[in-house]
Amino acid sequence: MLDLMTVHAHSEVLVGRGADLAVLRDALKRARHAEPSTVLVGGEAGVGKTRLVEEFARGLAGEPVRVLSGQCLELGEEGLPFAPFAGALRELVRAEGVGALDGHERELARLLPELGPPPLEGDARRGLLFEAVAALLGRGPLVLVLEDLHWADRSTRDLIAFLVRAARLPQLLLITTYRTDELHRGHPLRAFLAELDRVRGVLRLELDRLDREGTAEMLTHLLGAEPDARVVDAINERAQGNPFFIEQFAGSGLNEIPASLRDLLLSRVDQLPEPAQQVLRVAAVGGTRFGHELLARVAGLDDAALESALRVIVAAQLVAVVDAEGGFEFRHALVREAVHDDLLPGEHARLHARYARAVEAEPHLVPMGRAAAETAHHWHAARDHPRALITAKIAADEAKQRFAYGEQARLLDRVLQLWEDVPDAQTLLGLDHLDLLEESALAAIDSGEHMRALTLTRAALADLDAEAEPLRAGRLLVRRAKLLRTAGKSDGRAECEEAFRLLSKAPRGSTRVRLLADVAHQLAGLDPDRAAEVARVAMADASDQGDLAALVTAEVAFGSTCSGRVPAGEVLPVMRDAVERARAAGDLPAFTSGLINVSDTLFELGRYEESAAAAADGLPGAGRVGVSRTTGVFLLANHAEALIALGRWDEADARLAEAARLDPPETLALPWLRLRARIRLARGREGAQALVNRSLAFLGRPYLSNEGRLATLDLRLLAALDDPDPAAAVEAARSALADPSLTVLPRYCWSILSHAARAATRATDAALAAQVAEAATRLPIRYPAEVAFAAEVRALLEGGEPRWHEAVQAWRDDGHRHELARALLDLAEAQAAARSTHRSDAAAREAASRSDAVSRSEAVSGSEAASRSEAASRSEAASRPEVAYRFDPAESIAEAVAVASALGATPLVEAADILSRRLGIRPSTPAAVRDDLLTTREREVLRLVAEGHTNSRIAADLYISPKTASVHVSRIIAKLEVTNRGEAAAVARRLGLLDD
């Protein structure tokens, strides 16, 4: 029986994980070949995630690869940002010394306070911290293990996303573990993992439970002998293949196992001597990891008694020693949770209070930078409201210094909750309730919790005497107007007007000027004349005061009001001058917001390279002043839009992915969503419709800016053009043309008209065509893209080869690569139609000529008549002039294919192929395109695939292994964006990829 066997509570042999280990080893191989690799290891608590990673790391002993590990802590979401990275870097410093940080000590001091004081907030930004970590981890080959990601704070997730999606470090294998059973519907990790899933090089590895045979094998190792079949069946039924549960059952004795896991865990605790149980309860209050010294202070035992109790606990495999410096860890977090939850209410509060006092008295008892967060946690758990209030505010301030705005916002929410329970809260904190509300609202905005910020701002305005404090009231009203617009709830005009009224009575100064500039910015898209009036007041104030910095802010605001009313060529110098003055004055907010307008205006002028450069110029400043999720997102979108026009789609998609990682709140997400949706549609990629649907959802908001609304209506129409049913595009076109804002922004309206004209042409809908033509008469034609779209509309409505030549030339002048490729295909169709018409006319003329000749020869003998008829036909044919074509359809198609292939615009390439086959011609795929698409070896493999060879035959012919052949085939299928070998061969022949 089980109780007569020797029981080892922890298996030294990894059971049933051979395939999972192989996945990790393959990932490391890819990393060693400079392919960034990330493995997300998930599974329920106790399934063996950590054990798998430990076995993998153990197998690397003696190999030239470094392994660093860090663990997320339960306190992470409450105010302990970057905990796993701090743990990994401490491990590196302990092993190799401070020199291993490669001169990044100053930036990394925010993670490791023991390195010295971190830089002042004005001297550093979050991006520098991320870049320093990336630079340090970029020295590969390196395996970085981050455990318990389900406890990760927002800042840790942001840094992981940066490493995986932006930095993409070669020779780095990142392994994370997380509990799948912790991921409830609203858990922040769910969306984070879903986003990472779409990144190339990221693999999700879900660990399954062991089957009965695995349970039997594990029990054999644990018990030292093969157990009875009934024992295996009983444990397999209760543990259900969870390795940790199996260990617990085996270690506790089958007869003593209760019906639930909690009872099982507590039954093991009950087997300990009372002193050991007491120490275990004290340890459980301290968290999953705890230090010897801190435990000694809280437990109140002498060294001998404490060490004796710990020895028993460690021997029972409930707690493990994690380092030689006195660090311990519960072997499984479920053990700690079970013990902690079993505490009596009074015992719970008393022990948490002891921890709080111990850490307050001796902060060095916890790792550097953890004291404030841990103290706040323990006082809150101890229900000591005054101390919990004070320490939560201190921890919030420290979180802000580390740019951990999500943690700051949560801690400030706790302070607000405790405010009513602490009578002298204002005295204790040294600030009034209104100050706290405003600070909490700002933290909520910085962390992206805009709906929470709206609530807090409303509460602050309700508490405020606006007439007595007009500056503060104006600030709150402008902030509320922005939040309402961002949320799509209203245009915020009423708040802006009230803010202007109050600010008009406020004391003059730089604060008032900046707030007036904010009001002007908000009104610019609603009432440009009113916005310009407010901006002029701000400029006059700044000039009267001689405040250069404030004047620059006002001028930038005035420039934004001119956009769309004054020709772009005239307003651009004014905008650029204001931006340069802001740069010289060190006014980063004005500088970055000004560059949004500059890049936008340059785009409208068709100066795409300059537009991209201007947007990129503003991004570092947005990061430094903490507006990456607002101003920074607009700059990223502007940069991407210019790159799209230039045909640099991969770069544009990377910029949009960066914007997505920033998780902009509410309608601020629309720019990256719609632009990325357009790329996906143009490339025919999976996921395009999901992005389109997310974008279209914003049309249901009570308010959406004219730009956002028109661009989204255009996206809906563009997506509808892919629908096989022409009626779908017609319906979308009619909806867009009926929008009252259609003529407000020609930049977007001309694109809508072009797509609507295409829908009308496909459906032969004369009424829709007439509607498009009428709308076109009401739109100005000023800039290159507008000229090109207008030419395209004329070509679509009127038809004819000359019109399409005009449209193609207009797109050449503008420089937008994808629009040029599409127009070239339309030109090819027009050329083919013109050639067909010419041939039909020629055939008709020849038939008439032959008939006339026969009639003339009726009076002549048969042979003589035939001779004369043939001669007459030859003479007339020789005298007919040939029609001169400026371009052959094949040439137009070939150029379109070259442009579309370079962009990865698969639907256009396929459309070109269909047109070519219809016309009986084959466009040549340029050699450069073929070479870029597949490597030489991949083309060799593809030739054999096209001949029908298996992977084994391919391997034999090319002297490679079957596995390598399989990898080549998989990559070929992925690159050609097909689903099987047959489709790959067909596409290869069509694109000429098999040609020498």
Side-chain angles (χ1 to χ4, degrees):
M1 291 296 294
L2 185 64
D3 57 347
L4 299 179
M5 298 178 181
T6 301
V7 177
H8 302 280
H10 178 61
S11 175
E12 297 298 326
V13 178
L14 189 64
V15 174
R17 300 298 183 207
D20 302 313
L21 273 176
V23 169
L24 296 181
R25 289 167 183 153
D26 287 342
L28 180 57
K29 287 179 184 177
R30 292 194 298 273
R32 280 173 164 161
H33 288 85
E35 295 184 30
S37 189
T38 300
V39 182
L40 311 173
V41 182
E44 65 181 5
V47 80
K49 303 177 293 296
T50 298
R51 184 73 181 83
L52 171 69
V53 174
E54 287 174 348
E55 185 69 19
F56 169 70
R58 187 179 296 113
L60 299 178
E63 295 192 26
V65 57
R66 290 187 301 164
V67 180
L68 298 177
S69 62
Q71 187 171 28
C72 300
L73 305 177
E74 290 177 274
L75 297 177
E77 287 292 326
E78 294 189 6
L80 194 57
F82 308 117
F85 287 98
L89 294 181
R90 280 196 180 93
E91 184 178 311
L92 176 64
V93 171
R94 278 198 300 267
E96 301 181 24
V98 177
L101 300 181
D102 278 352
H104 294 290
E105 292 86 347
R106 178 175 171 79
E107 296 91 344
L108 296 175
R110 292 191 180 277
L111 296 184
L112 304 178
E114 57 264 35
L115 296 176
L120 298 176
E121 186 175 358
D123 297 331
R125 60 183 174 87
R126 202 181 201 200
L128 288 178
L129 174 63
F130 283 17
E131 290 162 7
V133 173
L136 197 62
L137 299 178
R139 299 178 297 139
L142 172 69
V143 176
L144 176 62
V145 179
L146 304 179
E147 295 210 58
D148 294 328
L149 205 59
H150 51 278
W151 286 329
D153 59 284
R154 171 69 175 271
S155 301
T156 294
R157 294 194 297 271
D158 289 348
L159 182 47
I160 292 172
F162 174 81
L163 294 174
V164 173
R165 309 194 64 175
R168 294 191 58 77
L169 303 175
Q171 295 196 320
L172 170 67
L173 170 58
L174 174 61
I175 302 174
T176 69
T177 68
Y178 63 94
R179 290 186 192 170
T180 53
D181 49 347
E182 290 277 353
L183 304 187
H184 54 77
R185 185 177 297 275
H187 198 290
L189 192 62
R190 290 176 67 96
F192 179 73
L193 293 174
E195 191 66 28
L196 290 186
D197 273 345
R198 294 192 284 270
V199 180
R200 183 171 58 85
V202 174
L203 174 67
R204 186 91 75 102
L205 176 60
E206 298 282 354
L207 299 191
D208 295 325
R209 297 174 178 178
L210 300 177
D211 56 17
R212 185 190 181 282
E213 287 68 33
T215 299
E217 182 181 353
M218 188 171 180
L219 284 171
T220 299
H221 291 296
L222 289 167
L223 304 174
E226 186 174 350
D228 185 85
R230 289 174 299 173
V231 174
V232 175
D233 289 338
I235 293 182
N236 185 60
E237 179 182 357
R238 296 194 179 186
Q240 295 184 325
N242 185 297
F244 174 70
F245 296 175
I246 295 169
E247 290 181 353
Q248 301 306 307
F249 278 107
S252 299
L254 183 60
N255 294 331
E256 301 173 6
I257 296 177
S260 68
L261 174 62
R262 183 176 300 280
D263 289 342
L264 167 63
L265 296 173
L266 292 179
S267 72
R268 291 196 63 199
V269 173
D270 291 340
Q271 295 174 22
L272 299 175
E274 180 55 34
Q277 289 189 43
Q278 178 59 31
V279 169
L280 193 65
R281 286 193 286 270
V282 175
V285 175
T288 304
R289 287 195 174 195
F290 55 92
H292 183 279
E293 288 188 57
L294 178 58
L295 182 63
R297 300 292 191 281
V298 177
L301 300 174
D302 58 45
D303 289 343
L306 180 59
E307 289 172 2
S308 175
L310 284 172
R311 189 172 290 109
V312 173
I313 296 169
V314 170
Q317 295 291 323
L318 292 170
V319 167
V321 179
V322 293
D323 60 58
E325 299 176 1
F328 295 87
E329 180 180 18
F330 277 86
R331 213 188 137 264
H332 199 288
L334 291 177
V335 176
R336 190 208 70 82
E337 292 171 15
V339 174
H340 182 266
D341 292 347
D342 197 49
L343 294 172
L344 296 173
E347 187 180 25
H348 177 276
R350 185 171 63 255
L351 288 175
H352 274 289
R354 285 187 194 174
Y355 267 100
R357 292 191 186 94
V359 175
E360 282 182 336
E362 300 179 84
H364 68 273
L365 294 176
V366 296
M368 292 287 287
R370 284 182 53 183
E374 295 217 11
T375 303
H377 167 72
H378 288 303
W379 280 128
H380 185 252
R383 301 185 183 279
D384 189 320
H385 293 164
R387 289 188 174 94
L389 177 86
I390 296 169
T391 54
K393 183 61 170 67
I394 294 171
D397 293 341
E398 289 197 6
K400 180 182 179 182
Q401 292 299 317
R402 292 172 180 245
F403 308 111
Y405 300 123
E407 290 73 35
Q408 179 200 8
R410 273 185 286 276
L411 286 161
L412 288 175
D413 273 352
R414 181 185 296 174
V415 175
L416 283 169
Q417 292 168 9
L418 292 168
W419 185 277
E420 298 298 330
D421 296 327
V422 181
D424 55 346
Q426 181 169 333
T427 303
L428 290 173
L429 296 180
L431 78 166
D432 61 26
H433 192 253
L434 188 55
D435 291 330
L436 179 60
L437 284 171
E438 192 167 1
E439 184 179 352
S440 300
L442 275 175
I445 292 172
D446 288 336
S447 65
E449 302 293 335
H450 279 202
M451 299 310 294
R452 175 63 176 162
L454 263 174
T455 301
L456 292 167
T457 305
R458 184 181 66 243
L461 284 166
D463 282 358
L464 177 66
D465 183 345
E467 301 298 330
E469 295 187 75
L471 278 176
R472 174 178 270 187
R475 181 170 62 245
L476 288 168
L477 284 165
V478 172
R479 191 174 297 153
R480 181 166 176 78
K482 292 179 182 178
L483 290 167
L484 288 169
R485 285 169 61 91
T486 300
K489 289 181 171 293
S490 81
D491 59 12
R493 179 162 186 164
E495 286 75 12
C496 287
E497 291 291 353
E498 177 63 8
F500 182 58
R501 183 188 73 80
L502 291 168
L503 292 171
S504 299
K505 302 188 297 182
R508 300 175 70 181
S510 60
T511 301
R512 179 176 119 137
V513 171
R514 292 183 183 278
L515 289 172
L516 287 170
D518 267 350
V519 172
H521 272 299
Q522 294 303 304
L523 290 173
L526 303 172
D527 187 341
D529 292 331
R530 180 62 166 163
E533 177 187 343
V534 176
R536 288 192 186 96
V537 173
M539 288 191 292
D541 272 11
S543 297
D544 291 346
Q545 297 163 41
D547 190 331
L548 178 60
L551 179 60
V552 167
T553 302
E555 287 176 340
V556 170
F558 183 72
S560 72
T561 68
C562 295
S563 180
R565 297 189 309 143
V566 179
E570 293 180 20
V571 76
L572 181 61
V574 178
M575 290 181 176
R576 279 188 152 163
D577 179 63
V579 165
E580 289 308 314
R581 293 172 70 181
R583 188 201 301 267
D587 188 348
L588 287 179
F591 173 70
T592 53
S593 62
L595 281 173
I596 294 175
N597 297 325
V598 169
S599 62
D600 204 52
T601 301
L602 286 166
F603 184 92
E604 202 162 29
L605 289 169
R607 293 156 64 175
Y608 300 129
E609 290 281 3
E610 293 177 75
S611 174
D617 194 21
L619 286 168
R624 285 191 62 186
V625 295
V627 293
S628 293
R629 300 186 67 215
T630 50
T631 301
V633 167
F634 284 118
L635 288 168
L636 285 168
N638 281 6
H639 192 196
E641 193 168 24
L643 293 173
I644 290 171
L646 293 167
R648 292 154 58 182
W649 284 13
D650 289 339
E651 294 176 62
D653 197 54
R655 277 309 199 191
L656 296 172
E658 190 176 341
R661 287 194 300 274
L662 291 170
D663 188 25
E666 304 298 336
T667 59
L668 295 186
L670 185 54
W672 80 259
L673 273 171
R674 61 178 175 79
L675 287 173
R676 206 169 199 193
R678 292 179 82 97
I679 291 179
R680 295 278 175 88
L681 283 171
R683 284 183 159 174
R685 294 278 176 85
E686 259 186 65
Q689 194 56 50
L691 290 173
V692 170
N693 292 341
R694 288 177 63 185
S695 301
L696 298 185
F698 287 98
L699 292 174
R701 300 284 178 104
Y703 170 78
L704 195 61
S705 68
N706 288 329
E707 177 181 352
R709 184 167 186 80
L710 288 170
T712 307
L713 288 170
D714 190 35
L715 176 63
R716 179 166 66 183
L717 177 50
L718 184 63
L721 286 170
D722 285 342
D723 194 304
D725 183 3
V730 169
E731 182 182 354
R734 292 192 186 283
S735 175
L737 293 174
D739 194 272
S741 60
L742 181 64
T743 58
V744 173
L745 295 172
R747 167 177 166 182
Y748 299 99
C749 297
W750 274 116
S751 180
I752 288 175
L753 291 187
S754 173
H755 294 139
R758 196 172 294 276
T761 302
R762 288 184 180 180
T764 61
D765 190 318
L768 178 59
Q771 194 176 354
V772 172
E774 189 279 328
T777 63
R778 294 183 280 122
L779 279 180
I781 305 174
R782 307 160 300 173
Y783 309 124
E786 294 172 6
V787 172
F789 274 126
E792 198 166 271
V793 169
R794 286 193 298 271
L796 285 163
L797 296 181
E798 300 172 17
E801 183 184 0
R803 285 299 191 195
W804 278 113
H805 276 298
E806 292 174 9
V808 166
Q809 187 56 49
W811 283 121
R812 288 193 198 283
D813 295 339
D814 175 77
H816 198 298
R817 303 297 292 161
H818 185 256
E819 299 295 349
L820 172 61
R822 188 170 64 172
L824 280 165
L825 275 189
D826 289 323
L827 171 61
E829 288 207 61
Q831 290 170 324
R835 170 173 288 185
S836 175
T837 300
H838 168 66
R839 287 174 176 168
S840 297
D841 291 346
R845 286 195 299 270
E846 186 164 347
S849 174
R850 287 181 182 277
S851 175
D852 186 51
V854 169
S855 298
R856 289 196 304 269
S857 65
E858 285 180 351
V860 188
S861 64
S863 59
E864 185 180 356
S867 175
R868 289 180 178 179
S869 176
E870 185 177 352
S873 296
R874 284 199 302 269
S875 174
E876 186 168 343
S879 66
R880 283 196 304 268
E882 290 293 330
V883 175
Y885 290 96
R886 282 172 283 181
F887 295 100
D888 185 83
E891 293 179 6
S892 299
I893 292 173
E895 185 182 357
V897 168
V899 174
S901 297
L903 297 174
T906 305
L908 269 185
V909 173
E910 292 174 348
D913 180 62
I914 292 171
L915 180 60
S916 299
R917 286 189 276 109
R918 200 177 80 204
L919 300 180
I921 59 178
R922 177 184 176 188
S924 59
T925 304
V929 174
R930 293 199 305 269
D931 293 342
D932 287 344
L933 189 60
L934 298 178
T935 66
T936 301
R937 174 61 87 182
E938 286 168 346
R939 287 202 300 277
E940 292 174 349
V941 172
L942 183 55
R943 284 192 185 92
L944 297 177
V945 168
E947 292 173 11
H949 293 335
T950 64
N951 287 351
S952 298
R953 174 69 182 277
I954 292 170
D957 288 355
L958 298 180
Y959 299 99
I960 58 179
S961 70
K963 183 173 182 179
T964 301
S966 174
V967 170
H968 280 309
V969 171
S970 297
R971 287 178 177 171
I972 289 166
I973 288 173
K975 285 184 176 182
L976 297 182
E977 296 182 339
V978 295
T979 58
N980 56 51
R981 300 160 72 97
E983 289 182 7
V987 171
R989 293 189 183 95
R990 188 176 74 225
L991 298 182
L993 298 177
L994 303 179
D995 298 343
D996 293 329

